[in-house]
């Protein structure tokens, strides 16, 4: 399951609770008047139920008799000796043959279509052999990479944009460009997690920022823009790398407080991948907002 539809369906099946809310400078709300659960920075996804990985439907189990707390199962050998259901080195325990199985990474190039190579370890000495199986062995219950990606997404902390305008302290003038700059980080953020022999990573990549100018007009920029520097830049001629609004056609005197409210909506795409080969380049996305205001005056012409 690596499609956008599969990710959405998996999240709904976990909690069936709507989120996908825009996060501003304050904690994101999962519902009106509510905040994200503890430890969850991003309310664009759901917090999944405990008990991953695996369910309770086979004899091998996904729990950990060694006390790691993974799931609810207990794994035992034929002689009654309790063993961990998962071992970082050996993989997952199969009570049917008292052996551990770990998916071979990378897969051998000569593997037959429809078969997967596993390292099987049955002896106390830890010697392993490569076996090819059509179906995973009983007890092989690694976590779902998609759910792990959603968990990482839920914990992802991204700062809202920090609006800088020129002019800022002094009023601007009708018809004169307004320089727009986001002072927050535009670096790609990366998170990685490993569980049950599966490693998943996500990247939050800033892609654009939409500036709503408070008069019904908007401007989209693919970068943070550049700050205006007096003595270096001509305010009426922003360079190509600048993000600038062409100018307000009317003064802000009729607006509430005599100012236009500017809203910046910053967008990220969040591709993810995994050691199992599952992943999606465009399944996840998020956004953050910030607001500021600006005063715009009419240019006064004095005649004598």
């Amino acid at each position: 399951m690596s499609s956008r539809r599969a990710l959405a369906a998996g999240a709904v099946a976990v909690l069936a609770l709507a989120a996908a809310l825009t996060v501003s400078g304050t904690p994101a709300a999962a519902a009106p008047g509510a905040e994200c659960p503890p430890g969850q920075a991003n309310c664009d996804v759901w917090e999944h139920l405990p008990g991953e990985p695996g369910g309770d439907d086979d004899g091998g189990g996904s729990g950990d008799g060694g006390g790691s707390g993974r799931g609810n199962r207990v794994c035992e050998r034929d002689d009654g000796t309790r063993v961990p259901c998962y071992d970082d080195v050996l993989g997952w325990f199969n009570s049917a043959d008292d052996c551990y199985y770990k998916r071979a990474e990378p897969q051998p190039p000569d593997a037959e279509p429809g078969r997967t190579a596993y390292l099987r370890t049955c002896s106390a000495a830890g010697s392993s052999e490569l076996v090819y199986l059509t179906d995973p062995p009983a007890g092989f219950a690694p976590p779902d990479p998609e759910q792990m990606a959603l968990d990482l997404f839920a914990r992802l902390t991204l700062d809202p944009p920090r609006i800088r305008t020129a002019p800022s302290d002094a009023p601007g003038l009708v018809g004169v460009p307004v320089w727009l700059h986001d002072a927050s980080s535009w670096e790609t953020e990366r998170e990685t997690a490993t569980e049950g022999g599966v490693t998943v990573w996500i990247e939050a990549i800033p892609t654009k920022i939409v500036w709503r100018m408070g008069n019904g007009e908007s401007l989209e920029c693919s970068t943070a823009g550049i700050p205006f520097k007096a003595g270096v830049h001509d305010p009426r001629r922003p360079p190509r790398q600048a993000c600038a609004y062409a100018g307000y056609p009317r003064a802000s005197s009729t607006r509430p407080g005599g100012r236009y409210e500017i809203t910046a909506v910053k967008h990220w795409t969040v591709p993810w991948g995994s050691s199992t080969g599952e992943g999606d380049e465009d399944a996840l996305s998020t956004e953050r907002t910030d607001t500021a205001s600006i005063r715009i005056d009419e240019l006064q012409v004095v005649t004598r």
Side-chain angles (χ1 to χ4, degrees):
M1 295 187 301
S2 58
S3 68
R4 181 178 314 185
R5 183 169 57 252
L7 263 174
V12 172
V14 171
L15 278 190
L17 175 65
L21 301 175
T22 297
V23 180
S24 62
T26 58
E35 293 184 355
C36 284
Q40 180 172 330
N42 183 1
C43 280
D44 289 344
V45 294
W46 297 264
E47 186 84 77
H48 77 84
L49 294 174
E52 295 291 341
D56 295 316
D57 56 351
D58 65 64
S62 62
D64 190 341
S68 74
R70 181 180 288 112
N72 301 315
R73 296 186 181 180
V74 173
C75 292
E76 295 181 347
R77 295 190 181 276
D78 285 342
D79 61 6
T81 304
R82 183 173 295 187
V83 296
C85 292
Y86 175 77
D87 182 274
D88 288 336
V89 176
L90 304 178
W92 296 90
F93 183 72
N94 178 8
S95 61
D97 59 6
D98 277 7
C99 298
Y100 280 92
Y101 288 80
K102 187 170 187 178
R103 190 178 189 274
E105 297 294 350
Q107 286 284 292
D110 59 348
E112 297 180 18
R115 288 180 171 267
T116 302
Y118 296 88
L119 287 171
R120 180 171 62 190
T121 305
C122 301
S123 68
S127 59
S128 301
E129 62 177 334
L130 196 64
V131 296
Y132 293 85
L133 303 176
T134 303
D135 299 314
F140 192 84
D144 180 4
E146 288 179 322
Q147 187 58 61
M148 291 177 65
L150 288 173
D151 290 344
L152 283 176
F153 189 39
R155 296 194 299 268
L156 190 64
T157 300
L158 298 173
D159 292 331
R162 290 189 289 136
I163 296 176
R164 301 291 184 267
T165 65
S168 56
D169 297 330
L173 296 175
V174 168
V176 176
V178 176
W179 292 52
L180 304 166
H181 175 234
D182 172 24
S184 69
S185 172
W186 275 66
E187 297 293 326
T188 295
E189 300 290 337
R190 183 182 175 92
E191 295 286 345
T192 303
T194 298
E195 180 184 347
V198 175
T199 298
V200 169
W201 56 88
I202 64 172
E203 291 184 331
I205 306 171
T207 54
K208 66 180 180 180
I209 186 165
V210 178
W211 300 88
R212 299 171 185 160
M213 304 308 298
N215 63 346
E217 297 186 4
S218 62
L219 174 71
E220 182 177 308
C221 295
S222 59
T223 68
I226 59 174
F228 171 77
K229 295 182 179 179
V232 177
H233 299 128
D234 181 346
R236 292 178 177 269
R237 294 177 177 82
R240 180 173 298 180
Q241 64 268 34
C243 180
Y245 176 57
Y248 286 94
R250 285 176 289 278
S252 60
S253 55
T254 60
R255 298 284 170 166
R259 305 174 72 88
Y260 287 108
E261 182 174 271
I262 299 174
T263 300
V265 185
K266 186 173 179 178
H267 296 256
W268 286 261
T269 59
V270 189
W272 69 276
S274 69
S275 58
T276 66
E278 296 181 70
D280 204 316
E281 291 298 314
D282 59 0
L284 303 174
S285 63
T286 190
E287 63 187 42
R288 304 287 187 272
T289 65
D290 190 22
T291 59
S293 64
I294 189 171
R295 177 180 163 187
I296 301 295
D297 289 346
E298 294 279 1
L299 178 62
Q300 300 296 322
V301 178
V302 179
T303 59
R304 308 181 87 175

